[in-house]
Amino acid sequence: MMKLSSFKKPLSIALSAVLTLSLTSGIINFHPGTAKAESVEKTRFLQLYDQLKDPASGYFSAEGIPYHAVETLLSEAPNYGHMTTSEAYSYWMWLEVLYGHNTGDWSKLESAWDNMEKYIIPINEGDGVQEQPTMSSYNPNSPATYASELPQPDQYPSALNGKYTPGKDPLDAELKSTYGNNQTYLMHWLVDVDNWYGFGNLLNPNHTASYVNTFQRGVQESVWEAVGHPSQDNKTFGKANEGFMSLFTKENSVPSAQWRYTNATDADARAVQAMYWAKDLGYTNTVYLNKAKKMGDFLRYGMYDKYFQKIGSAANGSPQPGTGKDSSQYLLAWYTAWGGGLGTGGDWAWRIGASHAHQGYQNVVAAYALSTAAGGLIPSSATAGTDWGKSLTRQLEFYNWLQSAEGAIAGGATNSYGGSYSAYPAGKSTFYGMAYEEAPVYHDPPSNNWFGMQSWSMERMAELYYILASSGDTSSDNFKMAKRVIENWINWSKDYVFADSRPVSDAAGYYLDQQGNRILGGTNAQVATVPAPGEFWLPGNVEWSGQPNTWSSFSSFNGNSSLKAVTKDPGQDTGVLGSYIKALTFFAAGNKAEHGNNTALGGTASQLAKSLLDTAWGYNDGVGITTLEKRADYFRFFTKEVYFPAGWTGTFGQGNTIPGNATVPSDPAKGGNGVYASYTDILPDIKNDPKWSYLEDKYNTSYNKTTKTWEGGAPEFTYHRFWSQVDMATAYAEYDRLINNGSGPMPTATPTTTPTATPTTVPTATPTATPTATPTVAPTATPTTVPTATPTVAPTATPTTVPTATPTVAPTATPAVGNLVVQYRTTDTNATDPQFRPQLRIVNNGTTAVDLSKVKVRYYYTIDGERAQQFNVDYAALGGSNVLGSFVKLEPAVTGADHYVEISFSAGAGSLAPGANTGEIQLRVNKTDWSNYNEADDYSYDATKTSFTDWNRVPLYLNGVLVWGVQPQ
């Protein structure tokens, strides 16, 4: 078929550059739907619905809770498949809304909400058990005690020092007046469904499911570096007399027993969004509609700065406490959190918002529903409707501000730069006083690289565009902002999405054009393809450069010519596919509502949605729609990365002592003094998983610990994630509703074969809402909180040996100047510390692509005391595992150098296209005894170069020949 433009793009690329496809046969057995299907899409929605609800499929627990995934050996945001998230619950609401619409049976929606209230909204759900037992002790004039967010997990615990006075909470009194109490009606984000962690449910022991948390320790803490812990901590587990709190906050006294919960704002907003559609599609039970309104009322806490500081006041490093709504971003921040004491002396409570707003968490449909009469869900509190109306406009402005020149949506903004209210760097772009952040909240992997964040948020934008156009509103600023964003986004993304054909990409994941060149941004991308009947492909990641222009207003906004996006990594993520199809579907329906008939872009969107739905059905294995995934990140099950401070030891719920006896010393460069443990040191029961022996054997036989590559191929898994299956099911339902108008061609046959594409690599921190952690609090009259931390990344460290050798090319005093140029900068201006940190970028100024595996770069320095050394890649746009380093000793020494580190590239780095650059390569070198270097006399070092500059003192060799720079003499 086609990639959905008016023509099929020609092919001139070798087939060897393309991923292969294998087909396997399998019979798909379905349970009949309960209502007559009137179209292919409606039939398939009902069949998927029955697969999801069939007990044999394994999507739900004995207590009726949806698991994150059917499979258990999984680590991405939940670190075990049989956890669940508020995200999963919100998708469940959406599934039942469309089931109710198609069958007239709304009872299942109400049962799902009841289950959500019982197991993941920590309130007294009618059983007399208080799960927020001391919230009435909360003082809104002193919400929490300040503690800084820190760059590395190793730097925790963070001192509860109260450096900045918190602002006042302007919502508490209003909510108490409306509902009679201030117990937060929001979901906690993470639940251990089967009590696999082993902590139990302290406050409601009749429930098997228990509230737990993970991320707590700054932007560099990833799912592989977090310590799971109970959200109701009476110190039974963890360190004796301290529980788990002392891993996260440092107090002047022993931490008190406490409860604490964290809400992921996007999930609750999605639940409200689902209830908006229920009402729009005929649901009338005000009991549950009012619950959605109440959830939206409390969700306003997600608009507030973490410590209620005035928005924009910290630009100079001196935040000012808010006195009311001046501490509201009117955006959905990454989380809100609240907690209090347990037991004797536990009559205290606290609350925080979050300072960081991510584009992927905004929900313009929820804001519309909660702020307009037409939306029908205005909450009962006096100022809620007004707040949400302001939020709707602010979110639309936010998306326009973040839209790149290509049409992709960049990361977001923060009111607390560096997590510590640091002064903004000179030239930093701002939005209503908040600083631009390429990757808000977490960096392992960067939070806005995954294409799913694009699809999730823009599906909601397409919904709003449809809602407004259908209502006849085609002239308001809100409509104009929604239209501009979604049209540009669809126009960009469609060029990288394929049905029945396969895009050509190189080993580094870059799309290639018909001449074999990397496509490094720009509009109207012409991706080379090959025919591939039955396949779908869509982007996996987006890389970023530049920043948006500082925002003033929509009326004066002229786009972001300096904000660039490079689209990468074609893959087959079925969940992202579902949300992307819905974005296309709602856009096409809105386009038709606006114009009377589809424009060319609207028609393309409608056709592409249909083609993708048709190809996706071939991947249904009888349990759901899924593809085989390569999990290259799963070597981290075995590496020692989880930090524990020196002397910290305690008990975990699975009966083991943590961190245990198999630890390794922590890396002093990360600022800590302690040890690292592994995933299995903390969670030993994973070794009982039925897939563990496969993974362990694959690691032992395939993974090269020196090169950090899977030489025999990465492990492969098939996952049935609940949210992913719901996204696909609802994609069929929405296409039927909006494009078929409830009718269409009847299905002709049930598929009997399931194409299984070559496994696609999944981003390490895929799909789930991963709110930065819940704060821990000290037992003082004024509640104290830990900085909520975020998932993050550890640098890649590869110890290397030091051979003695002479230069392979004779020194020359004349710089070699060719088509390849090395640019250099450093942010490390301390010339006498235990490490040096060159940052490099290679630019191809020529007219032909260059194979990076044939390129070597040398950085010359003096070792200042012969010791073994370590080469580390802190970050590389090419992928850290594709950058290799070796040390060479110069004999004899030359001026400014007695060693050089030679940087080379694996085949996975791919080729460097004409006019392109490699992106940043951030290196770090240290001696194993951590003695100091003296960089002041190093040949290749220049502390003044803090931005990338052509630097001929870092020579480059192509096929062993010096083609750039000058060697020292």
Side-chain angles (χ1 to χ4, degrees):
M1 291 173 65
M2 54 183 167
K3 181 251 168 212
L4 269 265
S5 48
S6 58
F7 58 95
K8 183 181 288 186
K9 297 179 180 178
L11 169 72
S12 61
I13 301 299
L15 296 183
S16 61
V18 184
L19 297 173
T20 59
L21 177 80
S22 62
L23 295 176
T24 58
S25 297
I27 302 299
I28 299 177
N29 298 310
F30 297 112
H31 305 286
T34 58
K36 179 183 177 182
E38 298 177 359
S39 71
V40 172
E41 286 73 33
K42 184 172 180 178
T43 298
R44 289 175 176 172
F45 164 69
L46 291 170
Q47 289 174 332
L48 275 171
Y49 180 89
D50 284 332
Q51 287 175 336
L52 283 163
K53 301 302 283 288
D54 185 349
S57 295
Y59 286 101
F60 287 84
S61 77
E63 291 177 314
I65 298 169
Y67 291 123
H68 173 65
V70 170
E71 298 76 17
T72 49
L73 184 56
L74 176 151
S75 186
E76 43 199 26
N79 59 5
Y80 184 67
H82 279 192
M83 313 294 281
T84 200
T85 61
S86 54
E87 169 193 88
Y89 267 98
S90 67
Y91 271 100
W92 188 14
M93 301 304 125
W94 203 347
L95 178 72
E96 302 297 0
V97 166
L98 289 173
Y99 183 79
H101 166 65
N102 278 282
T103 66
D105 180 1
W106 295 101
S107 66
K108 292 179 173 57
L109 171 62
E110 294 171 358
S111 295
W113 195 285
D114 290 342
N115 189 283
M116 175 174 68
E117 226 177 45
K118 185 173 184 179
Y119 292 112
I120 201 168
I121 300 178
I123 57 166
N124 176 358
E125 63 267 2
D127 58 2
V129 175
Q130 299 298 330
E131 296 181 348
Q132 301 178 39
T134 60
M135 201 64 217
S136 60
S137 298
Y138 171 64
N139 178 5
N141 292 320
S142 183
T145 298
Y146 173 82
S148 177
E149 296 172 17
L150 301 172
Q152 293 283 349
D154 305 49
Q155 295 171 306
Y156 282 79
S158 179
L160 284 160
N161 56 25
K163 179 180 179 181
Y164 298 117
T165 302
K168 295 182 178 180
D169 171 355
L171 298 182
D172 187 67
E174 182 176 89
L175 291 165
K176 281 181 180 176
S177 174
T178 302
Y179 301 105
N181 62 64
N182 61 350
Q183 293 199 15
T184 305
Y185 192 77
L186 296 172
M187 290 184 275
H188 172 66
W189 86 278
L190 186 64
V191 169
D192 182 3
V193 178
D194 297 333
N195 193 33
W196 186 69
Y197 280 2
F199 297 131
N201 193 315
L202 178 66
L203 292 176
N204 202 334
N206 290 325
H207 292 178
T208 299
S210 60
Y211 295 106
V212 295
N213 211 342
T214 48
F215 309 111
Q216 289 271 310
R217 300 187 291 187
V219 295
Q220 285 299 118
E221 184 181 46
S222 75
V223 68
W224 302 106
E225 299 166 284
V227 181
H229 54 279
S231 295
Q232 302 161 352
D233 191 344
N234 66 352
K235 302 190 282 190
T236 298
F237 299 99
K239 188 175 182 179
N241 202 35
E242 294 181 8
F244 286 89
M245 281 81 75
S246 56
L247 285 175
F248 313 122
T249 52
K250 185 176 182 179
E251 307 179 32
N252 293 326
S253 57
V254 174
S256 289
Q258 58 192 261
W259 57 272
R260 53 200 186 274
Y261 306 115
T262 300
N263 166 261
T265 60
D266 73 317
D268 296 69
R270 189 183 292 110
V272 172
Q273 172 191 355
M275 295 303 284
Y276 162 77
W277 284 114
K279 185 177 187 299
D280 188 70
L281 296 173
Y283 179 66
T284 58
N285 189 334
T286 56
V287 172
Y288 290 89
L289 293 173
N290 286 341
K291 290 176 185 289
K293 294 177 184 180
K294 182 177 181 180
M295 180 173 279
D297 216 345
F298 278 90
L299 187 57
R300 288 184 292 160
Y301 274 115
M303 299 179 187
Y304 281 82
D305 175 76
K306 183 172 182 177
Y307 294 107
F308 296 89
Q309 302 297 296
K310 290 181 180 179
I311 303 302
S313 68
N316 63 357
S318 299
Q320 300 299 309
T323 58
K325 300 292 180 74
D326 55 2
S327 59
S328 176
Q329 310 167 24
Y330 294 101
L331 298 170
L332 288 174
W334 195 255
Y335 57 85
T336 182
W338 67 105
L342 289 172
T344 304
D347 54 344
W348 49 270
W350 54 265
R351 187 190 297 280
I352 58 172
S355 302
H356 318 300
H358 194 291
Q359 67 89 5
Y361 269 34
Q362 307 310 303
N363 193 316
V364 291
V365 177
Y368 173 84
L370 294 164
S371 66
T372 65
L377 294 179
I378 298 175
S380 298
S381 290
T383 66
T386 301
D387 285 350
W388 280 110
K390 192 167 183 177
S391 177
L392 174 59
T393 299
R394 188 68 56 88
Q395 289 183 46
L396 288 166
E397 290 181 280
F398 193 53
Y399 280 117
N400 277 272
W401 178 63
L402 290 172
Q403 190 159 51
S404 74
E406 291 78 12
I409 309 300
T414 182
N415 195 52
S416 177
Y417 195 76
S420 57
Y421 298 106
S422 298
Y424 301 172
K428 176 64 70 173
S429 174
T430 59
F431 177 81
Y432 284 93
M434 300 173 70
Y436 170 67
E437 286 275 85
E438 179 179 307
V441 190
Y442 67 86
H443 296 169
D444 185 6
S447 67
N448 200 49
N449 283 30
W450 181 52
F451 183 72
M453 286 292 191
Q454 302 283 317
S455 294
W456 277 354
S457 60
M458 288 299 98
E459 189 276 331
R460 298 189 280 266
M461 187 65 71
E463 285 189 35
L464 182 67
Y465 170 64
Y466 166 74
I467 291 166
L468 296 178
S470 298
S471 72
D473 176 1
T474 57
S475 60
S476 68
D477 278 353
N478 280 357
F479 175 80
K480 291 175 183 176
M481 286 191 285
K483 177 181 177 178
R484 180 190 179 278
V485 168
I486 194 60
E487 281 189 344
N488 289 343
W489 189 84
I490 294 288
N491 200 41
W492 158 69
S493 63
K494 69 177 176 57
D495 292 334
Y496 298 94
V497 177
F498 302 85
D500 294 308
S501 61
R502 190 185 311 151
V504 179
S505 60
D506 65 15
Y510 290 95
Y511 288 86
L512 302 179
D513 64 18
Q514 298 153 18
Q515 290 73 45
N517 300 316
R518 286 179 173 179
I519 298 173
L520 300 174
T523 56
N524 192 30
Q526 302 291 306
V527 178
T529 63
V530 293
E535 292 183 25
F536 69 86
W537 293 91
L538 63 164
N541 291 291
V542 183
E543 290 181 350
W544 297 94
S545 62
Q547 64 174 1
N549 299 320
T550 289
W551 183 261
S552 57
S553 67
F554 179 63
S555 61
S556 62
F557 180 59
N558 294 314
N560 288 313
S561 59
S562 298
L563 178 62
K564 303 289 188 180
V566 175
T567 312
K568 289 188 64 181
D569 303 322
Q572 296 182 305
D573 188 320
T574 53
V576 178
L577 177 67
S579 61
Y580 185 73
I581 291 170
K582 285 184 285 186
L584 294 171
T585 299
F586 275 101
F587 172 73
N591 179 263
K592 185 174 181 179
E594 180 187 4
H595 298 286
N597 289 293
N598 279 136
T599 65
L601 185 61
T604 294
S606 177
Q607 294 170 48
L608 181 55
K610 173 63 173 173
S611 296
L612 291 168
L613 285 169
D614 287 345
T615 59
W617 194 250
Y619 293 86
N620 194 317
D621 64 359
V623 180
I625 294 174
T626 188
T627 57
L628 194 61
E629 302 172 14
K630 284 185 177 179
R631 291 306 299 254
D633 60 315
Y634 275 12
F635 74 91
R636 297 178 79 174
F637 271 107
F638 304 93
T639 54
K640 306 286 185 179
E641 300 187 55
V642 188
Y643 177 76
F644 288 86
W648 199 100
T649 186
T651 57
F652 196 77
Q654 294 184 351
N656 52 307
T657 298
I658 56 174
N661 298 320
T663 59
V664 297
S666 65
D667 180 353
K670 294 183 181 180
N673 174 28
V675 297
Y676 294 140
S678 71
Y679 181 104
T680 55
D681 292 332
I682 300 166
L683 296 163
D685 285 0
I686 196 64
K687 294 181 179 181
N688 299 324
D689 193 278
K691 284 288 188 179
W692 180 256
S693 60
Y694 159 73
L695 176 62
E696 187 173 43
D697 180 66
K698 190 73 173 177
Y699 177 76
N700 289 332
T701 59
S702 175
Y703 188 72
N704 186 317
K705 300 178 183 65
T706 301
T707 62
K708 298 187 177 181
T709 58
W710 294 91
E711 294 180 343
E716 298 173 357
F717 292 85
T718 298
Y719 289 123
H720 298 81
R721 298 177 182 86
F722 182 78
W723 73 268
S724 176
Q725 299 306 317
V726 174
D727 247 339
M728 281 307 310
T730 53
Y732 285 105
E734 296 292 37
Y735 187 91
D736 177 66
R737 177 170 76 91
L738 297 167
I739 306 300
N740 293 338
N741 296 314
S743 64
M746 289 294 292
T748 56
T750 300
T752 57
T753 60
T754 304
T756 305
T758 299
T760 56
T761 301
V762 175
T764 359
T766 20
T768 41
T770 51
T772 61
T774 40
T776 21
V777 189
T780 58
T782 302
T784 53
T785 48
V786 70
T788 62
T790 45
T792 57
V793 193
T796 304
T798 308
T800 57
T801 57
V802 186
T804 299
T806 54
T808 57
V809 180
T812 175
T814 305
V817 180
N819 292 326
L820 294 176
V821 172
V822 177
Q823 296 181 336
Y824 161 85
R825 74 177 180 189
T826 186
T827 57
D828 181 6
T829 56
N830 182 353
T832 57
D833 59 9
Q835 56 199 339
F836 58 90
R837 300 171 178 263
Q839 298 184 15
L840 306 177
R841 187 165 66 184
I842 302 171
V843 180
N844 184 358
N845 290 328
T847 58
T848 59
V850 174
D851 183 350
L852 284 171
S853 68
K854 298 178 181 178
V855 170
K856 293 184 177 180
V857 174
R858 294 180 183 174
Y859 183 94
Y860 288 88
Y861 63 99
T862 55
I863 194 170
D864 305 305
E866 193 76 43
R867 299 288 189 278
Q869 298 177 94
Q870 291 177 313
F871 175 81
N872 310 277
V873 182
D874 285 342
Y875 171 77
L878 297 169
S881 62
N882 293 320
V883 182
L884 311 174
S886 60
F887 299 104
V888 178
K889 182 178 180 179
L890 289 171
E891 291 185 345
V894 295
T895 302
D898 50 28
H899 282 71
Y900 62 82
V901 56
E902 185 168 76
I903 299 100
S904 58
F905 304 91
S906 70
S911 60
L912 185 60
N917 68 70
T918 58
E920 292 181 34
I921 303 169
Q922 298 180 7
L923 307 175
R924 178 166 48 86
V925 173
N926 61 271
K927 287 176 274 191
T928 55
D929 69 348
W930 291 96
S931 58
N932 286 345
Y933 293 94
N934 181 2
E935 297 180 72
D937 60 350
D938 287 357
Y939 178 78
S940 295
Y941 176 71
D942 187 342
T944 68
K945 289 182 169 53
T946 56
S947 60
F948 279 117
T949 307
D950 293 359
W951 186 227
N952 62 22
R953 290 197 174 197
V954 181
L956 180 146
Y957 306 81
L958 181 62
N959 291 318
V961 177
L962 179 67
V963 297
W964 163 261
V966 59
Q967 297 179 144
Q969 297 189 49

